[in-house]
């Protein structure tokens, strides 16, 4: 579903991504792990054109977002990126909109579906994440875990083929992390294709079918979580895992 090859990204003289290459198959749950500043979030954001790369290629379902550093036309970029939904570290909910309005804003602006269809889907998703009673609430009245569950539901409103998560639990208190991870586990069981940048090693071991370890802008190694966590091949991976 996604093919990434030789991705490079620099901020001035700082190389943030160095020759990043990997692919994502349908129904994959890929956990991207590594120390802070290793380029994980930049890599993820580049997939939905929130960061522009300097060189390399990104293909999504056979269509190129960028090829050898040359981007598609804006209309094509928009079409390709709508295949993916993004869940951010700090929720990014609109504070002046209710929970329902946050969910329905994007599909209403697209005007491709009737308001009845959009309302039905938002109602179903709020029920799915256990927040039906909070439909008319504003984000300021929600806990961090509730806000992140709303953010996940909002990402699902456009029926994406792939969900991207950028450290979705790192801004949460430990007791609120579990409720968000449970929603993500449920999505994995429903065979949603996901790329998850995370520090939650338990989630990576239990739910992901592949783990990618990044450090200093490079993919050091990748493989099945059970193998990577118990028998890492490289000293940099061993050192990182020993610290956590």
């Amino acid at each position: 579903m996604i093919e990434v090859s030789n991705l490079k990204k620099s901020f001035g003289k700082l190389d943030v991504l160095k020759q990043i290459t990997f692919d994502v198959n349908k129904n994959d749950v890929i956990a991207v792990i590594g120390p802070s500043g290793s380029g994980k979030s930049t890599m993820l954001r580049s997939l939905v054109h929130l960061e522009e790369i300097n060189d390399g290629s990104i293909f999504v379902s056979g269509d190129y977002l960028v090829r050898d550093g040359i981007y598609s036309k804006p209309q094509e970029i928009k079409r390709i990126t709508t295949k993916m939904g993004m869940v951010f570290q700090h929720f990014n909910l609109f504070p002046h909109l209710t929970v329902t309005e946050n969910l329905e804003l994007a599909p209403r602006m697209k005007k491709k579906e009737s308001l009845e269809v959009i309302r039905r889907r938002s109602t179903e998703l709020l029920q799915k994440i256990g927040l039906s009673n909070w439909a008319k609430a504003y984000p300021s009245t929600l806990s961090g875990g509730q806000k992140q569950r709303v953010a996940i539901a909002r990402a699902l409103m456009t029926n994406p083929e792939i969900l991207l998560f950028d450290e979705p639990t790192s801004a949460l208190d430990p007791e609120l992390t579990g409720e968000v991870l449970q929603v993500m586990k449920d999505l994995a069981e429903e065979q949603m294709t996901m790329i998850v940048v995370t520090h939650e090693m338990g989630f990576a071991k239990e739910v992901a079918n592949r783990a990618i370890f990044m450090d200093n802008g490079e993919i050091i190694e990748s493989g099945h979580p059970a193998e990577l966590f118990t028998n890492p091949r490289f000293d940099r991976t061993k050192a990182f895992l020993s610290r956590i």
Side-chain angles (χ1 to χ4, degrees):
M1 296 187 77
I2 299 178
E3 294 176 80
V4 176
S5 59
N6 300 318
L7 221 59
K8 296 180 184 178
K9 170 69 177 178
S10 301
F11 293 114
K13 294 183 178 180
L14 178 64
D15 293 329
V16 181
L17 299 177
K18 309 170 186 174
Q19 304 278 31
I20 296 293
T21 297
F22 68 97
D23 54 38
V24 181
N25 296 314
K26 188 175 176 62
N27 308 136
D28 272 349
V29 178
I30 296 178
V32 183
I33 64 171
S36 297
S38 58
K40 306 184 300 296
S41 293
T42 301
M43 179 275 293
L44 196 73
R45 290 168 63 87
S46 71
L47 300 180
V48 284
H49 199 231
L50 291 175
E51 294 282 359
E52 284 206 359
I53 62 162
N54 300 116
D55 200 5
S57 302
I58 300 171
F59 284 78
V60 181
S61 300
D63 298 320
Y64 80 91
L65 176 69
V66 55
R67 181 163 54 191
D68 298 328
I70 307 299
Y71 277 90
S72 293
K73 294 179 180 179
Q75 190 172 354
E76 188 71 1
I77 290 173
K78 187 175 181 180
R79 183 183 68 82
I80 292 169
T81 54
T82 54
K83 296 180 181 182
M84 295 173 278
M86 182 90 172
V87 179
F88 299 91
Q89 180 178 351
H90 293 290
F91 328 127
N92 289 15
L93 300 177
F94 292 105
H96 62 291
L97 300 180
T98 66
V99 166
T100 293
E101 288 167 344
N102 265 282
L103 263 63
E104 296 181 356
L105 180 62
R108 280 175 181 259
M109 288 177 68
K110 288 183 178 180
K111 297 180 180 179
K112 290 185 176 180
E113 297 174 307
S114 69
L115 297 182
E116 182 183 356
V117 169
I118 293 171
R119 176 55 51 88
R120 189 184 312 128
R121 187 155 70 251
S122 68
T123 301
E124 289 171 355
L125 282 171
L126 286 177
Q127 187 173 7
K128 180 186 181 75
I129 63 171
L131 290 176
S132 295
N133 293 336
W134 297 85
K136 296 181 179 180
Y138 287 90
S140 61
T141 66
L142 306 180
S143 70
Q146 289 172 325
K147 289 177 185 176
Q148 195 59 292
R149 282 188 280 159
V150 171
I152 293 172
R154 180 180 62 180
L156 290 168
M157 278 295 293
T158 54
N159 293 318
E161 299 173 16
I162 304 154
L163 269 186
L164 311 178
F165 293 85
D166 189 9
E167 299 190 18
T169 60
S170 63
L172 302 178
D173 294 332
E175 64 267 24
L176 300 176
T177 296
E179 64 190 62
V180 174
L181 292 178
Q182 186 58 55
V183 172
M184 295 168 65
K185 289 176 185 177
D186 293 343
L187 289 170
E189 289 175 4
E190 295 167 12
Q191 299 193 310
M192 169 62 77
T193 306
M194 299 192 287
I195 306 175
V196 185
V197 171
T198 184
H199 292 294
E200 296 291 336
M201 299 302 138
F203 174 86
K205 287 180 183 178
E206 182 182 348
V207 181
N209 67 303
R210 182 149 45 110
I212 292 175
F213 171 64
M214 288 183 65
D215 190 19
N216 196 29
E218 301 174 293
I219 291 179
I220 306 302
E221 65 179 296
S222 65
H224 193 279
E227 180 68 18
L228 190 144
F229 282 108
T230 58
N231 191 29
R233 292 178 294 153
F234 295 97
D235 289 341
R236 284 157 80 180
T237 316
K238 293 174 184 176
F240 173 74
L241 292 174
S242 69
R243 291 197 299 270
I244 59 168

